Amino acid sequence: ARFNYERTGYPEKNTLEFFKFVRKGFVELSVTKNFILDLKKEGVEVYYLSNINIETFNYLFDNFPVFKEFKDGICSEKVGAVKPEKAIFSAFLDKTKLNKEDFIFLDDMEKNVNTAQSLGWNSVVYNKYNAKKVIESIFNSWFFMFSFV
């Protein structure tokens, strides 16, 4: 949690306690879980690019089975950069060896999608308000051309 502590400016103990508290509030969104499982059923690789710290990611991996469906990915703490900083997007490509033309990046934050688009990534804002529409669009038009991040 050192990375989070440094970025927040709060004492390390407070930062650790905050992240422990936040973890208790995570819930699995069935529409997203089912989307990931449907992609996997069709043989599509799914990756993650996350601003959460390693401890929180490990908690999610251990407590939500859908996280085991990801082939690979990167957490911000590992690279010392967070979305929408361009460095984390570059680190993701370096780690996964993917070509930006071969996947669709989905994120719930427009600023992250904007950065990804500025780097030439196929990118879509995906959140609870448009999830069904985005999923339908992907399965109807883009589906077999891409992996998903």
Side-chain angles (χ1 to χ4, degrees):
R2 166 68 62 202
F3 176 70
N4 294 309
Y5 159 69
E6 291 171 353
R7 293 186 72 85
T8 66
Y10 292 104
E12 186 171 11
K13 181 181 179 201
N14 293 20
T15 305
L16 292 171
E17 290 304 313
F18 172 75
F19 282 110
K20 286 178 187 173
F21 174 76
V22 167
R23 275 185 281 229
K24 294 177 185 174
F26 284 121
V27 294
E28 191 169 69
L29 299 175
S30 62
V31 67
T32 301
K33 176 183 129 183
N34 292 336
F35 178 41
I36 291 168
L37 294 175
D38 287 346
L39 289 170
K40 292 293 292 183
K41 264 191 254 179
E42 296 295 332
V44 176
E45 295 174 339
V46 183
Y47 297 82
Y48 62 90
L49 173 55
S50 180
N51 280 349
I52 61 175
N53 64 24
I54 303 301
E55 281 184 37
T56 302
F57 184 82
N58 289 338
Y59 171 84
L60 294 171
F61 189 85
D62 292 342
N63 290 280
F64 298 96
V66 72
F67 277 81
K68 292 176 178 59
E69 300 298 329
F70 290 102
K71 180 174 182 176
D72 197 5
I74 201 162
C75 290
S76 58
E77 187 175 9
K78 286 258 185 182
V79 295
V82 295
K83 297 178 288 182
E85 296 168 8
K86 291 180 179 181
I88 193 169
F89 292 89
S90 296
F92 173 84
L93 293 177
D94 290 344
K95 183 173 189 284
T96 63
K97 306 298 184 218
L98 292 171
N99 295 313
K100 63 185 176 187
E101 299 84 14
D102 296 334
F103 61 84
I104 298 174
F105 172 71
L106 304 177
D107 198 280
D108 61 340
M109 301 292 291
E110 190 170 349
K111 64 184 177 181
N112 298 338
V113 168
N114 291 341
T115 298
Q117 288 173 341
S118 78
L119 297 170
W121 292 26
N122 300 298
S123 307
V124 178
V125 174
Y126 173 85
N127 56 42
K128 66 181 180 181
Y129 304 108
N130 72 352
K132 289 182 182 180
K133 184 178 178 183
V134 169
I135 291 168
E136 183 178 293
S137 175
I138 287 169
F139 274 98
N140 288 335
S141 60
W142 297 334
F143 181 67
F144 291 104
M145 300 181 339
F146 300 102
S147 294
F148 290 84
V149 178

